[in-house]
Structures are given as C-alpha cells and as structure tokens.
Amino acid sequence: MRTLSGEMPDGALLAIIGDSGAARIGGPDVVVETQGPVCEGSVRVAADGEGGVFAAWWAPREDSNAVLVVARRAVTSSGWTAPVVADARDQGKAGCRRPPPGIAADAARGYVHLAYYLDAPTGAGVYGGHSMESGTYFHGPVAIVYGDRPVAAAIATSGDLAAVAYEDPNSARSRIAVAISLTAGHLYERRVEASPSSMRATNPRVAVNGRRIAVAWSAEQWEQGAQGSRAMLRVGTIAADGKPGPGGHER
C-alpha cells in the first residue's frame, strides 16, 4: 500500500500503467447530452476502447425514487442514443441524495458493466449490472453486498474479470472492499478487504489489466489518529481461482 500524490478528485479514474503500477487519469473528455431528468453530479462516463463512450446517471422520479439509465455515443456518431433503463427498482425515496454509479465498457465484447448502491425490494446494498448487448439491454442485477448505508462504488473489467471497489455499507468505520467476478459480472465469487481497519477510507476507484487489479481511495483518518485527506493505492494480482496471489500488493 502506498500514497498517491494529491487527493482523489471527483470524476478521476484509475489506470494500470504497464507493469510498474497504477496512476490517476482523467475521464473521457466529452459532454454528455442527457435526455429527461438527471440528478446533478450523478453522470459518469466510460470509454469502450474503440472510440465510443457510455454514460450512466440517476434519473429522478416524482415519487423521490430514481431510475438508473445508460446512453451511448458511438465513434461514428456525434449524438447520444436515448437512455436505456438499467435498473428501475429503487424504493429508497432518497431523490438525488445518492452516490453516482460506476460504469465500465468493452466494445470488443459488447459488454457494459455497472456498480451502484440501490434500495431495492430484494434488499438495500451494492449491486452489479451488466449488458452483453452494447448497452441496449441490461440483465437482472447481481447483489454484491447488502447494507443500509448508501455507499460509493466503482467498477473495472478486463475480459471476463470484473472488479467492483466499494465502501463497505456495514463497517462502523468506512472501509474499502473489492468484489471479484471471473464470469463477466454474472456472479461475484470473491470478496477482498482493500483498506486497513485503522483507516477511514472513502471514494473508491479501481482498474483492471489482465489479472492485475489496482484499488485507490481517499483516506481521511489513518494510523495514530492522523487526519486529512490523502489518496492511497493498493495493487494486487488475482490467481486463476479468483484468490489474491502471494505478495499481491504494493507497500
């Protein structure tokens, strides 16, 4: 585990740079043409690797619930598609007071992945959603962790490996954990704690390259009671069985 310079600004992404480690990068420099109502600050974008861009956001409803929607701008088009509903099960009555969703896209496979907190009829918690049809249709979401506290989540993918970094909604002191899927988001088979218990950690970011996973977060409290915001990073390798490999983190 090591410190990144500066803080973790809103909208910043994480990328694994070669074999040397990971670094903060800016998100795609695009203007999203949203249609219909949108919660301010909830729009998140992801490049699909072939010039296209996807955007996800919360669309508020009159009953104070919200719908998660996704739109696409193809590389051959200057406009955005009409939003597609990814999850309309919200019953939390929180209006726009909710963390933004995480999104990742892979044009080569036609996959779009989501990670988000939702108060659903099946239980409040962090869910993973996915489309195998280039964002034109989203399959039933998968529960990653249940908990009553709304938390932030981020997602990254590489092939069939998907990783969701999230604030643990059940931890007394906010901690970052990672859920790992080896089945392209159909199931999340493994859970790994990323931040130490001595640290109050929020605002997760995650990147995947092959079997390497990098997780970053904002630390607001750490060892011996020190306070103030700083960005922390942990990088590990996932074995074929989904378990962290030996020595799989940077110090």
Side-chain angles (χ1 to χ4, degrees):
M1 185 172 62
R2 63 183 176 88
T3 303
L4 289 172
S5 61
E7 299 183 2
M8 191 67 68
D10 187 47
L13 302 178
L14 192 68
I16 295 178
I17 310 299
D19 296 328
S20 61
R24 260 187 318 261
I25 61 172
D29 186 16
V30 298
V31 176
V32 180
E33 298 173 359
T34 58
Q35 300 180 33
V38 55
C39 288
E40 183 178 358
S42 74
V43 179
R44 291 295 182 267
V45 296
D48 66 7
E50 294 186 1
V53 182
F54 286 84
W57 67 87
W58 292 109
R61 300 193 308 222
E62 292 183 357
D63 61 2
S64 294
N65 293 320
V67 178
L68 181 60
V69 299
V70 175
R72 180 192 184 196
R73 191 192 72 182
V75 65
T76 57
S77 172
S78 60
W80 290 81
T81 62
V84 173
V85 173
D87 198 327
R89 302 174 302 147
D90 180 43
Q91 61 177 19
K93 306 293 184 182
C96 286
R97 301 183 307 276
R98 61 186 72 235
I103 183 171
D106 179 355
R109 290 171 172 252
Y111 291 169
V112 181
H113 293 270
L114 301 167
Y116 52 94
Y117 183 90
L118 188 75
D119 189 349
T122 52
V126 177
Y127 286 86
H130 70 278
S131 168
M132 297 183 291
E133 296 82 17
S134 299
T136 59
Y137 173 80
F138 282 83
H139 300 263
V142 177
I144 293 175
V145 60
Y146 291 109
D148 292 333
R149 186 174 75 247
V151 293
I155 187 166
T157 63
S158 179
D160 286 336
L161 176 62
V164 174
Y166 58 92
E167 299 169 8
D168 185 349
N170 301 300
S171 176
R173 169 180 280 187
S174 184
R175 298 182 65 181
I176 303 302
V178 181
I180 299 165
S181 171
L182 301 178
T183 54
H186 288 84
L187 293 173
Y188 283 86
E189 300 91 351
R190 299 285 179 180
R191 309 288 190 277
V192 181
E193 293 182 352
S195 64
S197 59
S198 59
M199 183 178 293
R200 184 176 186 275
T202 61
N203 199 19
R205 299 289 190 274
V206 63
V208 179
N209 188 343
R211 292 281 173 174
R212 287 172 62 79
I213 297 178
V215 184
W217 63 87
S218 294
E220 299 176 18
Q221 295 176 344
W222 54 91
E223 290 82 354
Q224 299 179 350
Q227 298 187 23
S229 182
R230 64 178 181 178
M232 304 298 297
L233 173 70
R234 192 168 188 177
V235 181
T237 302
I238 302 300
D241 60 1
K243 297 179 180 179
H249 63 272
E250 293 187 352
R251 295 182 182 275

